[in-house]
């Protein structure tokens, strides 16, 4: 009887939510309840209030990355469930680079034949060729059409023939730095050029057209995105008929929906009590997987009094890692001591290395107060920030708010939806930015968060340098083109030592992804250990058993 009541309540919620109007560019205007009722449709509860963008070259939030991962492919891909392992995707094989006589590096990709672009709102389905790859990577390199343009500087992309693409870069890169830029993440996604050109960039944000296992079907603002199986997918038609991804920022609603049998998979939270409650329920499983998203506090050095290194260091000493870690499940949380996470990536500091270098910034309230006094800020000051409504950000900011009050810093936290937070912090709204992120290697972390070109708003290629820092440009670029692996690793550590000495950013912890599912869901991966797009990853092999 209780299960029936829950189900009726959830169906009522679906009907009410379906009254929300479709956003411009969205397909369809009727309720998504019909799609949700299909026996072979996977119903997915996302921890998000709405869509940001489905243009893969701008997608940054987990909810956006989740959808584009199902719609698009790349030249190579991270093996499903097992990133950072890489395998061929649209390319027939992962190539080896060649060097030209003048020192340039050339990567030649032979494309699979017969890969079909989805039909778009103004275009029929057609075969993807090298022209689409050239178009996509050229778009990725254009700062007006991509958030990841800085990764493609010095690249030349040429269609040798319909199924051969040649990428020439001015300075050689190791595979560990090159391949992530043509993989299924960020700027590496390949779009279908005819569809983008026909509808325009703005419409493309809410009607993506790719080659992936699922085809965009409809978007209902603050309600759902529906995807249909791609019967012509080059790896074979999906075993699911589609995916209905619902925007459900409230955990209780997601939990209710799963236990009522209306949702198959839901985003969970990194909280032991919740994890254990799901594990105790018959018929459900909890999945905890990497990579760890590093929670880092970025200080805007262009804003007084954060322009004083003593104030930034005082804040670091006033914050207790254990207080932050207590907010999350120990099963899914670990310490971070540098922007590049040393626990699972080369180029970062371990706890021992940070401590030996005197850069661990262990909790020391007396030292924090002494630095505030030395900086002439013993009376404290006020700061105001925006936070996402998502559990990770809200808890992080609110804990920081409480802890900083001990050194007379009054932090006002305004809660907004997740997509709005991402937009606002990229407009330089916050003097202190909390950002949880995983990036595929040390160079990407350092480039996107600390290269001067990446400064938000004013940088040559604005990205996520929230601290307005300009002090390690030469170190980042020198390390990027170092071919000796040991030397390159040490260069990355040296760059971060400088970041920590100047307290440009304070890395606190990393959290892994936590999801729950009905136990009749099989993701189809050989293992679920790590997914860069931070969801369990639904592919053509995912099934409802």
């Amino acid at each position: 009887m209780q299960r029936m009541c829950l189900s009726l309540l959830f169906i009522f919620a679906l009907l009410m939510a379906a009254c929300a109007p479709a956003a411009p560019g969205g397909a369809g205007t009727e309720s998504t309840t019909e799609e949700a009722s299909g026996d072979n449709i996977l119903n997915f509860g996302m921890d998000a209030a709405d869509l940001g963008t489905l243009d893969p070259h701008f997608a940054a939030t987990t909810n956006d990355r989740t959808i584009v991962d199902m719609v698009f492919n790349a030249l190579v891909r991270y093996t499903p469930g097992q990133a950072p392992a890489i395998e061929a995707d649209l390319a027939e094989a992962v190539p080896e680079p060649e060097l030209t006589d003048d020192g340039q590096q050339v990567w030649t990709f032979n494309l699979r034949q017969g890969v079909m672009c989805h039909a778009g709102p103004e275009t029929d389905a057609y075969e993807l060729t090298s022209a689409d790859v050239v178009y996509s990577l050229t778009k990725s390199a254009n700062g007006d059409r991509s958030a990841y343009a800085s990764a493609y500087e010095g690249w030349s992309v040429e269609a040798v023939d319909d199924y051969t693409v040649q990428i020439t870069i001015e300075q050689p890169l190791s595979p560990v730095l090159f391949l992530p830029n043509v993989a299924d993440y960020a700027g590496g996604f390949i779009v279908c050029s005819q569809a983008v050109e026909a509808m325009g960039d703005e419409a493309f944000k809410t009607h993506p057209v790719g080659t992936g296992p699922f085809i965009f079907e409809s978007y209902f603002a603050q309600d759902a995105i529906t995807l249909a199986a791609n019967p012509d997918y080059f790896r074979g038609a999906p075993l699911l008929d589609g995916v209905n991804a619902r925007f459900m920022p409230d955990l209780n609603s997601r939990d209710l929906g799963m236990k009522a049998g209306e949702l198959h998979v839901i985003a969970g939270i990194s909280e032991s009590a919740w994890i254990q409650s799901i594990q105790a329920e018959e018929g459900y499983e909890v999945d905890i997987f990497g990579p760890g998203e590093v929670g880092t506090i970025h200080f805007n050095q262009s804003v007084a009094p954060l322009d004083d290194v003593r104030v930034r260091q005082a804040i670091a000493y006033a914050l207790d890692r254990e207080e932050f870690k207590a907010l999350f499940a120990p099963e899914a949380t670990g310490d971070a001591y540098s922007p590049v996470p040393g626990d699972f990536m080369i180029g970062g500091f371990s706890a021992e290395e940070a401590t030996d270098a005197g850069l661990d910034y262990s909790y020391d309230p007396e030292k924090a107060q002494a630095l505030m006094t030395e900086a002439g800020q013993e009376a404290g000051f006020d700061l105001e920030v925006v936070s996402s409504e998502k559990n990770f950000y809200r808890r992080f900011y609110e804990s920081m708010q409480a802890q900083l009050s001990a050194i007379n810093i009054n932090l006002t936290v305004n809660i907004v939806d997740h997509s709005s937070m991402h937009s606002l912090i990229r407009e330089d709204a916050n003097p202190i930015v909390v950002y949880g992120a995983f990036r595929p290697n040390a160079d990407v972390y350092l480039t996107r968060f600390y290269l001067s070109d990446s400064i938000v708003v004013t940088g040559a290629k604005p990205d996520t340098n929230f601290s307005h820092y300009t002090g390690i440009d030469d170190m980042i670029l020198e390390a990027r083109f170092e071919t000796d692996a040991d030397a390159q690793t040490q260069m990355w550590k040296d760059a971060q030592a400088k970041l920590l000495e100047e307290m440009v950013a304070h890395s606190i912890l990393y959290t892994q992804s936590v999801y729950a599912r009905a136990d009749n869901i099989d993701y189809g991966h050989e293992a679920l250990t790590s997914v860069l797009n931070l969801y369990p990853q639904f592919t053509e092999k995912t099934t409802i058993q």
Side-chain angles (χ1 to χ4, degrees), residues 181-263:
N181 292 326
V182 293
D184 55 341
Y185 186 80
F189 285 110
I190 301 303
V191 303
C192 293
S193 60
Q194 293 180 26
V196 180
E197 287 294 285
M199 74 175 86
D201 285 359
E202 193 61 32
F204 187 61
K205 293 177 182 178
T206 50
H207 196 125
V209 179
T211 56
F214 297 98
I215 299 170
F216 174 84
E217 193 169 81
S218 64
Y219 162 51
F220 295 83
Q222 300 179 21
D223 178 12
I225 290 175
T226 60
L227 305 176
N230 176 9
D232 299 318
Y233 187 51
F234 63 87
R235 287 191 173 90
L239 300 175
L240 294 172
D241 290 334
V243 176
N244 184 37
R246 300 199 58 81
F247 299 115
M248 303 180 71
D250 179 64
L251 175 65
N252 290 332
S253 296
R254 299 196 300 276
D255 202 328
L256 171 68
M258 183 176 70
K259 291 175 181 176
E262 306 296 341
L263 294 174

Side-chain angles (χ1 to χ4, degrees), residues 8-310:
L8 289 171
L9 285 170
F10 190 72
I11 290 171
F12 177 74
L14 289 176
L15 290 170
M16 293 299 291
C19 294
T29 56
E30 71 272 14
S31 165
T32 58
T33 306
E34 182 177 347
E35 290 90 353
S37 66
D39 291 339
N40 201 34
I41 300 288
L42 190 147
N43 295 310
F44 176 39
M46 296 193 295
D47 181 12
D50 203 0
L51 171 71
T53 177
L54 295 181
D55 181 335
H57 301 152
F58 283 103
T61 63
T62 301
N63 45 308
D64 295 348
R65 290 187 187 278
T66 292
I67 303 302
V68 302
D69 181 70
M70 292 185 268
V71 174
F72 296 94
N73 295 97
L75 291 172
V76 299
R77 71 173 183 173
Y78 292 101
T79 303
Q82 299 176 65
I86 281 181
E87 62 188 20
D89 197 15
L90 294 174
E92 293 180 334
V94 180
E96 292 292 332
E98 298 177 349
L99 287 178
T100 65
D101 292 339
D102 57 1
Q104 293 181 320
Q105 189 180 55
V106 179
W107 296 78
T108 301
F109 291 88
N110 297 312
L111 303 182
R112 297 176 189 260
Q113 297 187 27
V115 174
M116 297 301 294
C117 279
H118 307 157
E122 300 180 41
T123 50
D124 294 330
Y126 70 93
E127 185 183 15
L128 179 131
T129 68
S130 55
D132 297 285
V133 176
V134 173
Y135 179 90
S136 297
L137 294 178
T138 301
K139 178 178 179 298
S140 295
N142 182 341
D144 294 329
R145 304 185 71 200
S146 165
Y148 309 106
S150 60
Y152 302 93
E153 187 173 349
W155 286 37
S156 173
V157 187
E158 177 187 1
V160 177
D161 57 42
D162 283 350
Y163 303 106
T164 308
V165 175
Q166 212 165 67
I167 299 172
T168 303
I169 55 179
E170 294 175 0
Q171 292 184 275
L173 293 175
S174 63
V176 72
L177 293 187
F178 173 80
L179 291 174
N181 292 326
V182 293
D184 55 341
Y185 186 80
F189 285 110
I190 301 303
V191 303
C192 293
S193 60
Q194 293 180 26
V196 180
E197 287 294 285
M199 74 175 86
D201 285 359
E202 193 61 32
F204 187 61
K205 293 177 182 178
T206 50
H207 196 125
V209 179
T211 56
F214 297 98
I215 299 170
F216 174 84
E217 193 169 81
S218 64
Y219 162 51
F220 295 83
Q222 300 179 21
D223 178 12
I225 290 175
T226 60
L227 305 176
N230 176 9
D232 299 318
Y233 187 51
F234 63 87
R235 287 191 173 90
L239 300 175
L240 294 172
D241 290 334
V243 176
N244 184 37
R246 300 199 58 81
F247 299 115
M248 303 180 71
D250 179 64
L251 175 65
N252 290 332
S253 296
R254 299 196 300 276
D255 202 328
L256 171 68
M258 183 176 70
K259 291 175 181 176
E262 306 296 341
L263 294 174
H264 299 101
V265 180
I266 64 171
I269 58 172
S270 182
E271 184 177 282
S272 290
W274 185 83
I275 291 171
Q276 292 165 12
S277 73
I278 299 298
Q279 291 173 331
E281 292 267 357
E282 185 177 353
Y284 304 104
E285 301 286 345
V286 174
D287 296 300
I288 299 173
F289 54 94
E293 277 200 293
V294 180
T296 296
I297 302 167
H298 301 263
F299 301 104
N300 185 342
Q301 298 179 79
S302 69
V303 175
L306 299 177
D307 55 347
D308 189 327
V309 65
R310 295 168 296 185

Side-chain angles (χ1 to χ4, degrees), residues 346-348 482 484-494 496:
I346 60 171
E482 175 56 58
D484 181 273
D486 291 338
Q488 185 178 60
T489 298
Q490 188 57 52
M491 288 176 177
W492 285 330
K493 289 185 177 183
D494 290 345
Q496 287 172 98

